[in-house]
Amino acid sequence: MSIKIKKITRNKMSFKQRIYLFYIALGMLRTLKHFFKNLLNTKNIDFLEYPEQKPTDITPRYRGLHRLTKNEDGELKCVACDMCATACPAKCIFIMASEVESKKEKAPIKFGIDMLECVYCGLCVEACPKDAIRMDSGIYTKTGFDRKSFVRDIVELSNTKGGF
């Protein structure tokens, strides 16, 4: 039994390709071309001063910050089934359930999302059987000075209004 070995020959790179200087110079020329074009023609450049001006061309499929929805009685729709936390690839959703005396068997007493770990994929929204969590809050950014301010708890999530 003989093994056939196929030998692949590689094409030699030219001197110009080996030193990369030619391609670096081409990239710099393109960058300078755009720089001077924008420097001389500032009238056609749209600027948005973000905190004062909000973007108006946000698509309806935009994934904003999370919010928990409520039913007609004002009660959270969440039944603490842990499906959203299971579906989350970043494992940033934390739920603690408790038994309640209402139509539901259990409800969350603690519900938290660590926004610094969240990848905004929307899998938690897709996994929820009760449509209790949504990402249509219309909030563009979340700012804070320490890590604790980026963990949104059940009170903050349920008081967020929805829609754009």
Short mmCIF file of all heavy atoms in Angstrom, two decimals, residues 65-71 74-78 108-109 111-113 132-134 137 139 152-162:
data_model
loop_
_atom_site.label_atom_id
_atom_site.label_comp_id
_atom_site.label_asym_id
_atom_site.label_seq_id
_atom_site.Cartn_x
_atom_site.Cartn_y
_atom_site.Cartn_z
N LEU A 65 -32.54 48.69 25.27
CA LEU A 65 -32.40 48.07 26.57
C LEU A 65 -33.63 47.22 26.88
O LEU A 65 -34.73 47.46 26.38
CB LEU A 65 -32.22 49.14 27.64
CG LEU A 65 -30.90 49.91 27.59
CD1 LEU A 65 -30.83 50.91 28.73
CD2 LEU A 65 -29.71 48.98 27.64
N HIS A 66 -33.45 46.27 27.76
CA HIS A 66 -34.52 45.34 28.11
C HIS A 66 -35.57 46.02 28.97
O HIS A 66 -35.29 46.98 29.67
CB HIS A 66 -33.94 44.16 28.90
CG HIS A 66 -32.85 43.45 28.18
ND1 HIS A 66 -31.57 43.94 28.09
CD2 HIS A 66 -32.84 42.29 27.50
CE1 HIS A 66 -30.83 43.11 27.41
NE2 HIS A 66 -31.56 42.10 27.03
N ARG A 67 -36.77 45.44 28.95
CA ARG A 67 -37.83 45.88 29.85
C ARG A 67 -38.72 44.68 30.13
O ARG A 67 -38.83 43.75 29.32
CB ARG A 67 -38.64 47.03 29.26
CG ARG A 67 -39.53 46.65 28.10
CD ARG A 67 -40.32 47.87 27.60
NE ARG A 67 -41.18 47.52 26.50
CZ ARG A 67 -42.48 47.26 26.61
NH1 ARG A 67 -43.07 47.32 27.78
NH2 ARG A 67 -43.19 46.95 25.55
N LEU A 68 -39.35 44.68 31.29
CA LEU A 68 -40.31 43.64 31.65
C LEU A 68 -41.71 44.19 31.43
O LEU A 68 -42.02 45.30 31.84
CB LEU A 68 -40.13 43.21 33.11
CG LEU A 68 -38.85 42.43 33.41
CD1 LEU A 68 -38.73 42.19 34.91
CD2 LEU A 68 -38.82 41.12 32.67
N THR A 69 -42.55 43.40 30.80
CA THR A 69 -43.91 43.86 30.48
C THR A 69 -44.88 43.47 31.60
O THR A 69 -44.63 42.55 32.38
CB THR A 69 -44.40 43.26 29.16
OG1 THR A 69 -44.38 41.84 29.25
CG2 THR A 69 -43.52 43.72 28.01
N LYS A 70 -45.99 44.19 31.64
CA LYS A 70 -47.03 43.93 32.64
C LYS A 70 -48.34 43.60 31.94
O LYS A 70 -48.57 44.00 30.81
CB LYS A 70 -47.21 45.17 33.52
CG LYS A 70 -45.98 45.53 34.31
CD LYS A 70 -46.21 46.79 35.13
CE LYS A 70 -44.96 47.13 35.91
NZ LYS A 70 -45.12 48.34 36.71
N ASN A 71 -49.22 42.87 32.64
CA ASN A 71 -50.53 42.59 32.07
C ASN A 71 -51.50 43.71 32.41
O ASN A 71 -51.11 44.74 32.95
CB ASN A 71 -51.04 41.22 32.55
CG ASN A 71 -51.12 41.14 34.05
OD1 ASN A 71 -51.09 42.15 34.74
ND2 ASN A 71 -51.24 39.93 34.57
N GLY A 74 -51.58 45.25 35.91
CA GLY A 74 -50.37 45.92 36.39
C GLY A 74 -49.37 44.96 37.01
O GLY A 74 -48.39 45.37 37.61
N GLU A 75 -49.64 43.66 36.88
CA GLU A 75 -48.77 42.63 37.43
C GLU A 75 -47.78 42.19 36.34
O GLU A 75 -48.12 42.17 35.16
CB GLU A 75 -49.64 41.45 37.87
CG GLU A 75 -48.90 40.38 38.61
CD GLU A 75 -49.85 39.25 39.03
OE1 GLU A 75 -51.07 39.48 39.08
OE2 GLU A 75 -49.34 38.16 39.27
N LEU A 76 -46.55 41.88 36.73
CA LEU A 76 -45.55 41.42 35.76
C LEU A 76 -46.00 40.13 35.09
O LEU A 76 -46.56 39.23 35.74
CB LEU A 76 -44.20 41.18 36.45
CG LEU A 76 -43.42 42.40 36.87
CD1 LEU A 76 -42.15 41.97 37.58
CD2 LEU A 76 -43.07 43.26 35.68
N LYS A 77 -45.76 40.03 33.79
CA LYS A 77 -46.12 38.82 33.07
C LYS A 77 -45.15 37.68 33.35
O LYS A 77 -45.46 36.53 33.11
CB LYS A 77 -46.11 39.09 31.56
CG LYS A 77 -47.25 39.92 31.07
CD LYS A 77 -47.17 40.04 29.55
CE LYS A 77 -48.30 40.85 28.99
NZ LYS A 77 -48.21 40.96 27.52
N CYS A 78 -43.98 38.00 33.86
CA CYS A 78 -42.94 37.00 34.10
C CYS A 78 -43.40 35.97 35.12
O CYS A 78 -43.92 36.32 36.18
CB CYS A 78 -41.65 37.69 34.57
SG CYS A 78 -40.29 36.55 34.85
N PRO A 108 -41.06 36.23 39.90
CA PRO A 108 -39.70 36.57 40.31
C PRO A 108 -39.70 37.57 41.47
O PRO A 108 -40.46 38.54 41.47
CB PRO A 108 -39.10 37.20 39.04
CG PRO A 108 -40.27 37.77 38.33
CD PRO A 108 -41.42 36.85 38.61
N ILE A 109 -38.87 37.32 42.46
CA ILE A 109 -38.67 38.31 43.51
C ILE A 109 -37.39 39.09 43.23
O ILE A 109 -37.26 40.23 43.63
CB ILE A 109 -38.64 37.69 44.91
CG1 ILE A 109 -37.62 36.56 44.99
CG2 ILE A 109 -40.00 37.19 45.31
CD1 ILE A 109 -37.39 36.04 46.39
N PHE A 111 -34.84 39.83 39.80
CA PHE A 111 -34.61 39.66 38.37
C PHE A 111 -33.56 40.70 38.00
O PHE A 111 -33.78 41.90 38.20
CB PHE A 111 -35.89 39.92 37.58
CG PHE A 111 -35.83 39.51 36.14
CD1 PHE A 111 -36.50 38.38 35.70
CD2 PHE A 111 -35.10 40.24 35.22
CE1 PHE A 111 -36.45 38.00 34.37
CE2 PHE A 111 -35.04 39.89 33.89
CZ PHE A 111 -35.72 38.75 33.46
N GLY A 112 -32.43 40.26 37.50
CA GLY A 112 -31.35 41.20 37.18
C GLY A 112 -30.69 40.87 35.87
O GLY A 112 -30.57 39.70 35.49
N ILE A 113 -30.29 41.90 35.16
CA ILE A 113 -29.55 41.74 33.90
C ILE A 113 -28.29 42.58 34.01
O ILE A 113 -28.37 43.79 34.25
CB ILE A 113 -30.38 42.18 32.69
CG1 ILE A 113 -31.67 41.37 32.58
CG2 ILE A 113 -29.56 42.03 31.41
CD1 ILE A 113 -32.56 41.80 31.45
N ALA A 132 -42.81 38.26 28.32
CA ALA A 132 -42.60 39.10 29.49
C ALA A 132 -41.39 40.01 29.36
O ALA A 132 -41.33 41.03 30.03
CB ALA A 132 -42.45 38.23 30.74
N ILE A 133 -40.45 39.67 28.52
CA ILE A 133 -39.27 40.49 28.37
C ILE A 133 -39.17 40.96 26.92
O ILE A 133 -39.43 40.19 25.99
CB ILE A 133 -37.98 39.74 28.82
CG1 ILE A 133 -36.78 40.67 28.80
CG2 ILE A 133 -37.74 38.50 28.00
CD1 ILE A 133 -35.56 40.11 29.50
N ARG A 134 -38.89 42.23 26.76
CA ARG A 134 -38.76 42.80 25.41
C ARG A 134 -37.55 43.71 25.36
O ARG A 134 -37.05 44.15 26.40
CB ARG A 134 -40.00 43.61 25.05
CG ARG A 134 -41.23 42.77 24.85
CD ARG A 134 -42.36 43.62 24.34
NE ARG A 134 -43.58 42.85 24.22
CZ ARG A 134 -44.76 43.39 24.03
NH1 ARG A 134 -44.88 44.70 23.95
NH2 ARG A 134 -45.83 42.64 23.94
N SER A 137 -37.39 49.20 24.39
CA SER A 137 -37.55 50.31 25.33
C SER A 137 -37.31 51.67 24.69
O SER A 137 -37.77 52.68 25.19
CB SER A 137 -36.60 50.13 26.51
OG SER A 137 -35.27 50.17 26.06
N ILE A 139 -34.50 53.11 24.61
CA ILE A 139 -33.37 53.73 25.29
C ILE A 139 -32.12 53.34 24.51
O ILE A 139 -31.85 52.17 24.30
CB ILE A 139 -33.27 53.27 26.76
CG1 ILE A 139 -34.55 53.65 27.50
CG2 ILE A 139 -32.05 53.88 27.43
CD1 ILE A 139 -34.64 53.09 28.89
N ARG A 152 -29.23 46.01 35.95
CA ARG A 152 -30.61 46.50 36.03
C ARG A 152 -31.44 45.49 36.81
O ARG A 152 -31.49 44.32 36.48
CB ARG A 152 -31.17 46.70 34.63
CG ARG A 152 -30.38 47.73 33.84
CD ARG A 152 -30.97 48.03 32.52
NE ARG A 152 -32.18 48.83 32.71
CZ ARG A 152 -33.16 48.87 31.84
NH1 ARG A 152 -33.11 48.20 30.73
NH2 ARG A 152 -34.22 49.62 32.06
N ASP A 153 -32.13 45.96 37.85
CA ASP A 153 -32.92 45.08 38.69
C ASP A 153 -34.38 45.07 38.26
O ASP A 153 -34.77 45.73 37.29
CB ASP A 153 -32.77 45.47 40.16
CG ASP A 153 -33.25 46.87 40.43
OD1 ASP A 153 -33.47 47.63 39.46
OD2 ASP A 153 -33.40 47.23 41.61
N ILE A 154 -35.19 44.33 38.98
CA ILE A 154 -36.59 44.13 38.60
C ILE A 154 -37.37 45.45 38.63
O ILE A 154 -38.27 45.66 37.81
CB ILE A 154 -37.24 43.05 39.50
CG1 ILE A 154 -38.60 42.62 38.92
CG2 ILE A 154 -37.37 43.53 40.92
CD1 ILE A 154 -39.15 41.37 39.57
N VAL A 155 -37.04 46.34 39.55
CA VAL A 155 -37.75 47.62 39.64
C VAL A 155 -37.46 48.48 38.42
O VAL A 155 -38.37 49.04 37.79
CB VAL A 155 -37.35 48.36 40.94
CG1 VAL A 155 -38.00 49.73 40.99
CG2 VAL A 155 -37.71 47.54 42.15
N GLU A 156 -36.19 48.57 38.05
CA GLU A 156 -35.80 49.38 36.89
C GLU A 156 -36.33 48.78 35.58
O GLU A 156 -36.77 49.49 34.69
CB GLU A 156 -34.28 49.51 36.83
CG GLU A 156 -33.79 50.50 35.83
CD GLU A 156 -32.27 50.64 35.85
OE1 GLU A 156 -31.62 50.06 36.72
OE2 GLU A 156 -31.77 51.34 34.97
N LEU A 157 -36.31 47.44 35.49
CA LEU A 157 -36.78 46.78 34.27
C LEU A 157 -38.28 46.91 34.10
O LEU A 157 -38.79 47.04 32.98
CB LEU A 157 -36.39 45.30 34.28
CG LEU A 157 -34.92 45.00 34.09
CD1 LEU A 157 -34.63 43.55 34.44
CD2 LEU A 157 -34.52 45.27 32.64
N SER A 158 -39.05 46.88 35.19
CA SER A 158 -40.50 46.95 35.08
C SER A 158 -41.03 48.38 34.93
O SER A 158 -42.15 48.58 34.50
CB SER A 158 -41.15 46.28 36.29
OG SER A 158 -40.78 46.93 37.47
N ASN A 159 -40.22 49.36 35.30
CA ASN A 159 -40.67 50.76 35.17
C ASN A 159 -40.27 51.39 33.84
O ASN A 159 -40.60 52.53 33.60
CB ASN A 159 -40.11 51.61 36.32
CG ASN A 159 -40.77 51.26 37.63
OD1 ASN A 159 -41.88 50.77 37.66
ND2 ASN A 159 -40.06 51.49 38.71
N THR A 160 -39.55 50.67 33.00
CA THR A 160 -39.15 51.20 31.70
C THR A 160 -40.32 51.13 30.74
O THR A 160 -40.97 50.11 30.61
CB THR A 160 -37.97 50.37 31.14
OG1 THR A 160 -36.92 50.39 32.08
CG2 THR A 160 -37.47 50.96 29.83
N LYS A 161 -40.59 52.23 30.08
CA LYS A 161 -41.68 52.29 29.10
C LYS A 161 -41.22 51.69 27.78
O LYS A 161 -40.05 51.74 27.44
CB LYS A 161 -42.13 53.73 28.88
CG LYS A 161 -42.61 54.40 30.13
CD LYS A 161 -43.92 53.83 30.58
CE LYS A 161 -44.40 54.61 31.80
NZ LYS A 161 -45.11 53.81 32.74
N GLY A 162 -42.13 51.18 27.01
CA GLY A 162 -41.80 50.56 25.73
C GLY A 162 -42.16 51.42 24.55
O GLY A 162 -42.84 52.42 24.67
#
